Amino acid sequence: MLRRNFLKTSSLAGITLSAVATGSCNLLQSSKNKNEGTADDHFVLNEITIDVLQQKMHSGEYTSSSITQLYLDRIAAIDKDGPKLNAVIEVNKDAMNMAFAMDKERKQHKVRGPLHGIPVLIKDNINTGDNMHTTAGALALADNFAPQDAFIVHQLRAAGAVILGKTNLSEWANFRSTRSTSGWSSRGGQTKHPYILDRNPSGSSAGSGTAVAANLCVVAIGTETDGSVVSPSSVNGIVGIKPTVGLLSRAGIIPISITQDTAGPMARTVKDATILLSALAGIDTQDLYTLNSKGKAEKDYTKFLDASGLQGKRLGIEKDAFKGNEEMEALLKTATETLKSKGAEIVEIELLKELKDAGKAESTVLHYEFKDGVNKYLSNSANSKTKTLQDVINFNKKNVAKAMPFFKQEILEKSQGMGDLHTKEYTDALQLSNAGTRTIIDNLLQKNKLDAIIGPTNGFAVCIDLVNGDYDNGFSFSSPAAMAGYPHITVPMGAWKDLPMGLSFFGTAYSEPALIKLAYAYEQASKKRVAPKFKVDLLS
């Protein structure tokens, strides 16, 4: 979850764009070694795509095992040494064995699909039934080894993917403290921004965003409650897809919200993200929400990749996005001109001001659902001594120096004090936040005859501030789709001072095909993805 959204839900109607901080952040002193900056990056797999990797494996130039080893070496050189991005919390000891097995199948002329032999990183709140931990970044869960794969990990293995490792995240998916720092966890430490190292990579899927941007993998999986896929994708200059809630199973994922949580693909191109989305989707009886996707999900979302997908489309742009920061406004104006040049019609709309009441209700919903979901997850964690949310709170209190050195656990404690999901306060808030937001979005789409709603995904990356926590980066556009459980895609829109920003496309439930068409057409027309140079600070 993007913590800034959680704190701002009571004032959605008044969002404006604040000034962007400049210069060095001067708060993460370990970033100040000038040798950490690497302008010349000649990694052989830089910016490579799934299609090209498959071509190279087919020709024999590479194997899955050689590709996997290259990425493992890259993680060691860039993530743990070099700029020390700290994106990967744990490397999979079985990764090379998985790659060898996929190579063996390929030699036998068995290729499972486009992900066969492709290394994938996954967020460390997603179960893997192997020798890797699943901790949500929390020391309280350092002994948690899941008894079986999450459903989406099972889907990955069936598709032939290589589970390369797990990525760091904002602890408890940024649902621990009102003063937390995105990308920091007590188990994994602070993940850095690959473009400018003293900037924050955003959360909660910080490690997945940084890893993809820095070419530590070709694709990764994040999770989102409100902003945690699209925000780190936006500030790290990559593509992120938050699907409709229910398109991907949440079984085996440490939860925040049963009504808003979803996993989602993160990649450098819309096509790669779409390939990963296709592999992850599926009906799972352990997550009844997936039953809603029957007859609505697609087996192959790549068939919607259409470079002319903007022709004749009508897009509503959030009016508040043109207020405030001139650098964001300049990027947005360029993006709208590109959209128009490819045949789209752009009309101004006012969505955010209609969501003030729904935004206030969201925080209530999440506190209730977090307690319920985490207690259910922990009660089934056979290998962990931590069985309840109260156990987590008690552990952190007993281990303050290690577990809470920078910020505390007010959100955990508030959630612990909530009742069950039959409480009237909860059911009333859910009706307003979830159903109410859906109605507002759907009515706006129908009234204006829109194919989708667009706007900047969020503001530029803020400084890493372990003293004061996250601060407002000026704009956030994740909450409407998040509260509704609707799909949301972000695509690189450009950068200012080497700080990327994404353009958002979102629509009604199960509109992934339409959004993929729009996002792909914009990507092909704009080509705004740029690899990072690992600058030490903004003035380097």
Side-chain angles (χ1 to χ4, degrees):
M1 174 166 185
L2 185 61
R3 189 181 63 87
R4 282 188 301 273
N5 292 350
F6 180 69
L7 296 176
K8 290 167 60 179
T9 48
S10 63
S11 58
L12 276 169
I15 290 179
T16 57
L17 308 184
S18 61
V20 174
T22 59
S24 172
C25 298
N26 290 319
L27 287 168
L28 194 67
Q29 293 302 318
S30 61
S31 295
K32 302 313 294 177
N33 181 354
K34 291 294 181 179
N35 292 326
E36 290 181 356
T38 308
D40 296 323
D41 182 9
H42 303 296
F43 179 49
V44 67
L45 300 183
N46 265 349
E47 301 300 291
I48 205 163
T49 64
I50 290 173
D51 280 350
V52 173
L53 286 174
Q54 290 295 350
Q55 292 167 12
K56 290 182 180 296
M57 285 189 284
H58 179 74
S59 70
E61 180 181 352
Y62 286 119
T63 61
S64 176
S65 53
S66 67
I67 292 167
T68 300
Q69 188 61 61
L70 282 167
Y71 279 125
L72 290 172
D73 292 344
R74 173 74 166 180
I75 291 168
I78 298 294
D79 198 55
K80 304 307 177 189
D81 196 5
K84 299 181 181 178
L85 298 174
N86 209 30
V88 179
I89 200 169
E90 186 171 0
V91 170
N92 188 4
K93 297 176 183 177
D94 293 331
M96 289 303 298
N97 289 334
M98 296 176 71
F100 287 134
M102 293 304 101
D103 287 336
K104 183 177 180 180
E105 287 190 8
R106 189 180 293 272
K107 288 179 181 179
Q108 297 170 344
H109 306 289
K110 178 183 178 181
V111 177
R112 302 187 188 191
L115 285 179
H116 188 104
I118 300 295
V120 179
L121 285 169
I122 65 174
K123 189 175 178 180
D124 183 37
N125 59 350
I126 303 172
N127 285 353
T128 54
D130 51 24
N131 61 20
M132 288 192 290
H133 304 74
T134 303
T135 70
L139 286 177
L141 294 185
D143 61 348
N144 187 40
F145 291 89
Q148 60 187 22
D149 287 339
F151 180 84
I152 60 170
V153 174
H154 171 78
Q155 295 286 86
L156 276 182
R157 294 189 198 272
V162 174
I163 312 300
L164 189 62
K166 292 196 173 183
T167 56
N168 195 24
L169 68 159
S170 311
E171 187 171 321
W172 289 108
N174 237 344
F175 205 73
R176 199 191 92 178
S177 171
T178 57
R179 200 171 52 79
S180 65
T181 300
S182 292
W184 183 92
S185 72
S186 57
R187 179 171 174 243
Q190 179 65 51
T191 299
K192 299 179 190 175
H193 192 278
Y195 291 83
I196 300 178
L197 298 176
D198 62 4
R199 294 268 156 174
N200 195 299
S202 190
S204 64
S205 304
S208 296
T210 291
V212 170
N215 288 277
L216 305 183
C217 59
V218 61
V219 290
I221 299 175
T223 65
E224 174 164 330
T225 303
D226 189 332
S228 288
V229 165
V230 296
S231 179
S233 295
S234 174
V235 303
N236 282 289
I238 63 173
V239 175
I241 301 179
K242 184 202 86 73
T244 304
V245 172
L247 185 65
L248 274 56
S249 170
R250 286 87 50 82
I253 301 176
I254 297 175
I256 292 179
S257 166
I258 193 171
T259 56
Q260 292 186 201
D261 285 353
T262 180
M266 302 169 75
R268 290 182 293 273
T269 68
V270 174
K271 183 173 185 179
D272 281 358
T274 303
I275 290 171
L276 186 53
L277 178 68
S278 302
L280 298 177
I283 293 175
D284 176 18
T285 56
Q286 294 185 76
D287 183 356
L288 297 180
Y289 274 61
T290 62
L291 299 178
N292 296 326
S293 68
K294 188 175 182 179
K296 302 170 187 174
E298 300 285 344
K299 291 184 178 180
D300 181 10
Y301 284 94
T302 63
K303 65 184 179 182
F304 301 106
L305 298 170
D306 182 0
S308 61
L310 286 164
Q311 187 65 44
K313 297 299 187 292
R314 187 173 167 90
L315 307 176
I317 190 166
E318 173 55 46
K319 187 176 181 180
D320 274 356
F322 288 105
K323 299 176 182 178
N325 186 299
E326 63 274 11
E327 304 301 338
M328 179 190 289
E329 184 177 343
L331 291 179
L332 191 57
K333 285 183 176 179
T334 299
T336 57
E337 290 305 313
T338 300
L339 295 168
K340 290 176 183 177
S341 73
K342 294 300 176 180
E345 181 182 358
I346 310 296
V347 296
E348 284 193 2
I349 60 168
E350 293 182 279
L351 171 61
L352 294 180
K353 76 173 187 178
E354 296 190 46
L355 295 177
K356 182 177 181 180
D357 291 337
K360 290 178 180 178
E362 182 190 26
S363 61
T364 300
V365 170
L366 299 188
H367 279 107
Y368 274 95
E369 292 185 349
F370 179 74
K371 178 184 178 181
D372 180 77
V374 166
N375 280 332
K376 287 176 179 176
Y377 175 89
L378 293 176
S379 68
N380 293 316
S381 300
N383 296 306
S384 177
K385 296 178 182 178
T386 304
K387 298 297 183 183
T388 66
L389 176 56
Q390 187 62 57
D391 289 345
V392 175
I393 293 169
N394 293 343
F395 176 92
N396 289 341
K397 287 181 178 178
K398 291 177 182 178
N399 298 275
V400 173
K402 292 182 178 180
M404 301 192 294
F406 301 111
F407 49 86
K408 304 307 178 185
Q409 55 180 349
E410 314 90 81
I411 293 176
L412 301 187
E413 292 170 350
K414 183 174 181 178
S415 296
Q416 176 60 25
M418 295 302 197
D420 61 30
L421 299 189
H422 299 291
T423 306
K424 187 176 187 300
E425 181 186 36
Y426 165 72
T427 56
D428 288 349
L430 179 62
Q431 179 66 26
L432 188 58
S433 174
N434 185 257
T437 301
R438 291 183 179 192
T439 298
I440 289 170
I441 292 174
D442 288 345
N443 286 346
L444 192 63
L445 290 168
Q446 293 167 14
K447 178 182 177 181
N448 293 278
K449 298 179 180 180
L450 302 176
D451 294 283
I453 296 170
I454 65 171
T457 307
N458 53 5
F460 300 105
V462 301
C463 293
I464 293 172
D465 189 344
L466 292 169
V467 176
N468 301 301
D470 290 344
Y471 59 88
D472 193 347
N473 67 353
F475 190 82
S476 174
F477 207 35
S478 64
S479 290
M483 290 188 292
Y486 283 175
H488 184 169
I489 302 178
T490 181
V491 181
M493 183 170 63
W496 176 69
K497 302 289 187 182
D498 293 311
L499 294 171
M501 179 181 291
L503 179 67
S504 284
F505 299 82
F506 66 86
T508 193
Y510 299 102
S511 61
E512 282 86 355
L515 297 179
I516 287 167
K517 280 186 178 182
L518 299 172
Y520 181 75
Y522 170 72
E523 175 196 54
Q524 296 304 300
S526 60
K527 297 288 186 180
K528 293 297 185 179
R529 161 68 192 170
V530 176
K533 295 182 179 179
F534 312 108
K535 291 174 61 176
V536 172
D537 55 40
L538 202 63
L539 302 179
S540 297

